[in-house]
Structures are given as structure tokens and as C-alpha cells.
Amino acid sequence: MIGRLNHVAIAVPDMKAAVEIYKNALGAQVSDAVPQPDHGVTTVFIELPNTKIELLEPLGDASPIASFLERNGAGGIHHICYEVDDIIAARDQLKQAGARVLGDGEPKIGAHGKPILFLHPKDFCGTLVELEER
Ligand code: CO
């Protein structure tokens, strides 16, 4: 079921500083910052030859990454995103296996304009997992 690694998301307290690191120190191809008010974050995508890095900075008062950054002041890996062919089939299969889907369990349209779901980290080796339909 699980497909390619779509991206690794890193929560950062200071997007400008994070972009400097990836652009200047690491020499990566870095997108413009895009505010995503629906998701409570500003995102920057970094294209690597085999995957992407998604930098996340809190946006607004109720950002879903605010508490993560309280616990991880310097930032840190927030989630990993795997591609699946059929997100509903993947969700149903995982639920049947006992995994918990976050939120209301229905796919939302994510930062790439594709259906996504998040899975409970306690069911996936302590890692918040995002599924994105290909
Ligand atoms: Co993501």
C-alpha cells in the first residue's frame, strides 16, 4: 500500500533562518513561502532529487504546530508523508488494522492540492504520518 516518500516536514520557529540554511548552507532549491491559513502554517518546499522537505512555520494563534515548537524550541521533524494510490482504501485498511486516523477521519485537501490524512503517531513508531493520494 505504502508508496514513495513524498516529503519530510520540519517545524521551524524562524522560517527566514531556516530558508537561509537550506538555500545558502545546503545549496537547495527553495520555494517562496506560502501562507496556508486553513492549515495554520506557512510552508516552504525544498526540492531534492528524490523527495521534498516541507518547512512549516506557525501561522495565526491556533497553529497545529505551536505546541510541537513549545516542546522543541529549535524546531524538529514534525511528520513524514507517504504517497498512496487510493487514500480511502488506505484509510479503511489501516483502520481495520487498528490504526487511528486524526481529525474526523475524512481526507482534507493538503498543501499540494491533493487529498491527505494524518495517522496517530502512537500507532506508527512515534512518528506522525501523513498520507497523500498520488
Ligand atoms: Co506534510
Side-chain angles (χ1 to χ4, degrees):
M1 174 224 295
I2 191 174
R4 283 162 36 95
L5 174 66
N6 184 278
H7 62 268
V8 175
I10 301 177
V12 301
D14 181 344
M15 183 63 91
K16 218 174 149 224
V19 164
E20 287 291 302
I21 290 165
Y22 273 88
K23 200 188 255 179
N24 298 334
L26 292 171
Q29 191 187 321
V30 175
S31 81
D32 289 335
V34 179
Q36 316 250 7
D38 290 355
H39 299 283
V41 292
T42 296
T43 54
V44 162
F45 283 100
I46 297 163
E47 292 286 341
L48 302 182
N50 61 344
T51 190
K52 294 186 282 274
I53 304 294
E54 176 184 74
L55 300 178
L56 303 172
E57 183 186 49
L59 177 67
D61 293 334
S63 175
I65 63 169
S67 63
F68 179 89
L69 283 170
E70 268 163 39
R71 296 191 304 275
N72 303 276
I77 294 178
H78 182 262
H79 65 265
I80 54 177
C81 177
Y82 300 123
E83 295 177 1
V84 294
D85 287 329
D86 180 334
I87 201 160
I88 298 293
R91 176 196 66 185
D92 292 348
Q93 189 179 330
L94 287 163
K95 276 171 77 171
Q96 204 144 38
R100 286 164 285 182
V101 178
L102 299 188
D104 65 6
E106 294 306 316
K108 305 263 184 298
I109 299 302
H112 307 100
K114 295 184 175 163
I116 60 159
L117 281 174
F118 283 95
L119 305 171
H120 201 296
K122 288 201 173 139
D123 299 330
F124 294 91
C125 311
T127 305
L128 178 59
V129 171
E130 179 180 16
L131 297 180
E132 181 176 297
E133 194 163 89
R134 291 204 293 146

